[in-house]
Structure formats: structure tokens, C-alpha cells
Amino acid sequence: MTSAPETAERAQAPSYLAEDFTLWSWLGTHDHKRIAVLYMLSITLFFFIGGLAAALIRLELATPQGDLVTAETYNKLFTAHGVIMVWLFLIPSIPAVLGNFLMPMMIGARDLAFPRLNLASWYVYLAGGALTLGALLAGGVDTGWTFYTPFSSMFSNSNVVLALLGILVLGFSSILTGLNFIVTVHTMRAPGMTWFRLPLFVWANYATAIILVLATPVLAMTLVLVGIERVFQVGIFDPALGGDPLLFQHLFWFYSHPAVYIMVLPAMGVVSEIIPCFARRPVFGYRFMAYAILGIAVIGFLVWGHHMFVSGQSVYAGMVFSLLSFLVAIPSAVKVFNWTATLYKGSITFSAPMLYALGFVGLFTIGGLTGLFLAALALDVHLSDTYFVVAHFHYIMVGGSVMAYLGAIHFWWPKMTGRMYPESWGRAAAAIIFFGFNLTFFPQFLLGYQGMPRRYHSYPSEFQVLHLLSSAGAVVLALGYLLPLAYFGWSLLYGRRGGDNPWRATGLEWQTASPPPTDNFAQAPVVTQEPYAYRQ
């Protein structure tokens, strides 16, 4: 795919890990790879904090009585879980970690377009995370992660304003990252790297960056308005002050439904890199895959109203949003069919990254199909605000984004560190997570179908068996998430050297040393072939 750098030059260049390993060299770095590692450490910390809140929720729901915590504490627990997982993990995980680390190398660049802005985005992320976590720990927030009014503007006595400020700051971090990605892809591609030679991972993060830049300011303005209303009693959303609570929902979901694709599109990009490599086949329908990514990003801005079918909006608006919601399933289905066609007659190796990728395809498909239930007006009336919604959301967000994130870490770990992890443990963790996830969330589809409302800390005893299955699955899932933390740490000290390209992949990032040198390439690469030029 490229003209290979000279071996001697590559051997002489110190890796980004080896060069100046002092604390300040990391905290003041402009190297996109080090910034990615800083993001990874921060995001991992927040992931386990959010997971702890989830563990307490599932422990409470093991019995019907609500005897572990009070109703108020339970409200604060599910708010903390949602806020941390959505704003501090799911949205930044793949773009900020893998996008930061890989995109410059994938397009043959030495760094992102604005290295200082890249470092600033991490500091802004930490500031927003500290404010948000401070609000959750210093008394908590009880509105849910969506901050619906009038809960957030009138009824809640918790730290809503501080939490809103933290998420507002986090939004600026997202905007800075998105702007950096867009400019980098437009201006810093290597010679011969045309638009339709870009890896699909780059396409996915480019589309995600567009959503970040266009949608995040809407969320920022909405949160500012809630803060103004709460502090100064100005009637914007609160009906007691003459405001309109539905206006908040329209503004919030105009950002937050595209935000689903901020979480899922990069995951799709990851899977589009892993499946061709381990099937030893080019991606089937590459151009259709690229267009599908852009199609998802565009249509995703037009479907926010399907979250409001039972909120009082007009039936005609509901019909339009329902139709558009079915429409967005088409490019998603294109991707699933094309991944399947890529696997067809492939020489498939079931390594750990491939297991995560296949797990993503299965779980994302279930999540997408159940989304069609919620896009249908009549069914949504019955299923809205039940555990069916919780299960659907988690199949997309956790079953999709987290499986892809872990698959990406396993796939590019040898490139990031130069070390291999124990393959058998990687496969075992992927299997445990897949089993634990389904045991946790599939019973929740049945709970929702039977009418169990979400966000209740006590419930009728006939629902206990399904809740017990879900809580047991959460224990299995937690074990699966802890395992990679253990064997990745082991591999840093004892893992065997992986070589520059242990998977025999074709991307530009695999044509440089492992771990990469500070400037990525000893000499500028020249792209001469189409992407995914695999031969069985």
C-alpha cells in the first residue's frame, strides 16, 4: 500500500513511549499518541466508577422491596451511572483514544493538525469530568442523565447546576476534538491518499467529527438555558413560569440522538478494520460502506422526535419521525450486510479482536431490530419508559460501542505498546463479556414487554426472576470487563514482542514501528493501492 520506510531509519527512531518518560513530558506533550494514552487512562477510570454505580443498581433490583437504598438514593445512582457512562465514557472513548492514536498514522500524517489544541481538549475533558463527578459525589443529582425539565429546573433539590456546568465543559472538549479531526483529514493526507482510499475507520471518525461540531453547540445552549432558568427563575422550560418543557426535549434530543451515532459510528469503523483483516478479504462494497457512514450521520439529525411519541407532539410529526427512523435503519443494514458478505468465503481466524467484532455485529443487530419496535408509533406507546427501552439502549451503546472499543484495544494493542497479550485470555474475556451481556440485558426486553417501568427501585414480585437473571449477568459482565485490565497490565511487563505487524494488516499504521516513533514515519509514505488489499 505504501513505499516502506528504510529499516535502518526506523530502528534508530525512539518510540513515543521511550522518548523522555518524565511526568511533565506526558502532561505537556503535543504527541497525538501520548494524548491518546492520557485519554485512555482517564476514560478507563470513569468507566469503572460508572460501572460501580451500575453494580449497586443491579444489587438493589435483586429483590422487589427496594431495601438496599432509598428511592432518592436510587434516583441518584442511575443518574450517576448514566451521566458518567454517556458523557465521560461512551462519547469520547473511541474518537478520543483510538481516533487520536490512529488517524494521523492511517492517513500518513505526523500528527493532528492542531497538536496544542489536542492537548487542550484533554485538559478540558478532565475539567469537565471533575466538575461532573464533583456534582455526583457531593450530594448527587436525581434527574436522570437526560436532565428533563421540569425535574432539572423546578423539582430537583440536587446539584443540577454544577453537573450541567461539567457537561457543558465536556462539550467543548468534544468540539475541539471534532474540529481537529476534520481539518486533519482535509489537509494532511499522504500523497496518493484520495478520499476513496481512506480507511473506513477514518471515514467513521470524520463523520463523527461533523456531528460533534454541528450538534454539540445545541446541547451547550440548552444546558445554559436550564441553568439560567434554575438560577434566575426565567420562564423557558418550566410550565410554572410560563415555559415549555417540550422545547427542552426537542433541543436535547436534537443533539442526543445524533450523539448515539457519535458512539456507534466509530465502533462501526473499528469493526470495518478488524473483519477484513481476520477474514483475509477486502471489505465488500467499500464505497457503499463509506456512503452509509455519511448517510447515518446525515439522517441521524432528522429523527430526534421518535423519543417524544408519548410526550404530546402532534400525530403528524410522530408519523414523519417514525418514517425517518425506519429510514435510518437502511444504511445501518447496509453495513451489517456488507460485513457479512466480507466474511463469506473468507479465511477466518477467530482471534480475540475478531470475536469482539463478531460480538458487535450480533449485539448491534439485535439493538437495531428492537429499535424498529420503538420507531413504530403504536408499539412505542406500550414500550415507552419500560425496561424494553433500557435493553435496546444498552444493546446499541454497550453491546455495540463497548464491544467495539475492547476489540479495537485488542487489535491495536501490539501497535500501541509493542507487546502481545495472552491470546487465550483475550478470547475467554470476549466470550465471557458476550455471555454476560446477553444474560444481563435480554431479560430486560421481557420485563419491558410485560410492562415493568424503568427507573423504579421497587417492583411487583412477579418480575423478580427476570431481575435476578439480569443481576447475575451483571456479575459475569463485570468479571469480563476486569479480565482485560489484568492481562493488558501483565503484557506491558511480560508480554512477548509483537513485531511491527503481527496481524499482517494492510493499513498505513502497520507500516511503521511498534510502538511508533514520535513522528510516526521515518519518511513520508506514498499510497499506491486501494485499502484492504488482502489476499487469502
Side-chain angles (χ1 to χ4, degrees), residues 209-456:
I210 293 173
I211 298 173
L212 287 170
V213 171
L214 294 179
T216 308
V218 178
L219 174 71
M221 291 184 289
T222 306
L223 298 181
V224 168
L225 291 174
V226 173
I228 290 173
E229 180 174 69
R230 188 174 173 90
V231 174
F232 299 106
Q233 298 297 296
V234 178
I236 303 170
F237 306 119
D238 187 347
L241 300 173
D244 182 0
L246 285 187
L247 175 61
F248 174 86
Q249 292 190 36
H250 278 292
L251 292 172
F252 179 84
W253 288 114
F254 182 81
Y255 163 81
S256 293
H257 194 84
V260 171
Y261 302 112
I262 293 172
M263 306 174 215
V264 169
L265 280 174
M268 291 177 168
V270 167
V271 173
S272 299
E273 300 298 318
I274 294 174
I275 286 180
C277 179
F278 291 98
R280 310 313 299 173
R281 292 196 66 211
V283 168
F284 181 86
Y286 166 86
R287 289 195 176 223
F288 282 97
M289 295 282 271
Y291 287 133
I293 287 170
L294 295 178
I296 291 169
V298 172
I299 301 173
F301 277 98
L302 306 176
V303 300
W304 76 90
H306 74 218
H307 294 273
M308 302 170 60
F309 287 158
V310 297
S311 67
Q313 70 177 1
S314 76
V315 68
Y316 301 106
M319 290 172 63
V320 171
F321 283 120
S322 178
L323 177 63
L324 290 169
S325 299
F326 279 98
L327 186 63
V328 79
I330 295 173
S332 298
V334 166
K335 302 193 74 62
V336 173
F337 290 141
N338 285 25
W339 289 324
T340 306
T342 304
L343 291 167
Y344 180 63
K345 292 188 177 180
S347 180
I348 299 174
T349 303
F350 292 102
S351 296
M354 186 62 154
L355 293 181
Y356 280 106
L358 295 176
F360 167 90
V361 174
L363 298 178
F364 174 77
T365 301
I366 294 173
L369 290 173
T370 53
L372 299 178
F373 287 60
L374 298 172
L377 283 166
L379 275 173
D380 187 77
V381 172
H382 171 65
L383 297 173
S384 181
D385 281 327
T386 70
Y387 263 84
F388 193 96
V389 177
V390 177
H392 159 71
F393 182 87
H394 282 82
Y395 264 85
I396 295 289
M397 296 296 94
V398 182
S401 296
V402 178
M403 286 291 281
Y405 178 71
L406 290 172
I409 297 296
H410 284 77
F411 185 52
W412 282 290
W413 184 260
K415 177 57 58 180
M416 298 173 75
T417 66
R419 301 277 185 172
M420 298 298 293
Y421 50 84
E423 179 64 27
S424 58
W425 280 106
R427 294 177 183 176
I432 290 170
I433 289 172
F434 185 81
F435 173 76
F437 179 88
N438 281 286
L439 184 57
T440 302
F441 293 106
F442 196 84
Q444 295 180 15
F445 282 125
L446 304 178
L447 284 167
Y449 175 75
Q450 294 174 20
M452 170 73 197
R454 61 177 175 168
R455 299 178 172 176
Y456 278 39

Side-chain angles (χ1 to χ4, degrees), residues 15-17 26 33 36-38 40 97-98 101-102 105 405 408-419 492 499-500 509-510 513-516:
S15 77
Y16 80 99
L17 290 174
W26 279 81
K33 298 178 291 298
V37 172
L38 294 173
M40 183 167 65
V97 178
L98 282 309
F101 195 95
L102 296 167
M105 289 190 288
Y405 178 71
I409 297 296
H410 284 77
F411 185 52
W412 282 290
W413 184 260
K415 177 57 58 180
M416 298 173 75
T417 66
R419 301 277 185 172
L492 288 175
D500 294 344
E509 76 273 22
W510 298 104
S514 296

Side-chain angles (χ1 to χ4, degrees), residues 132-143:
T132 305
L133 198 60
L136 298 174
L137 295 178
V141 180
D142 59 4
T143 61

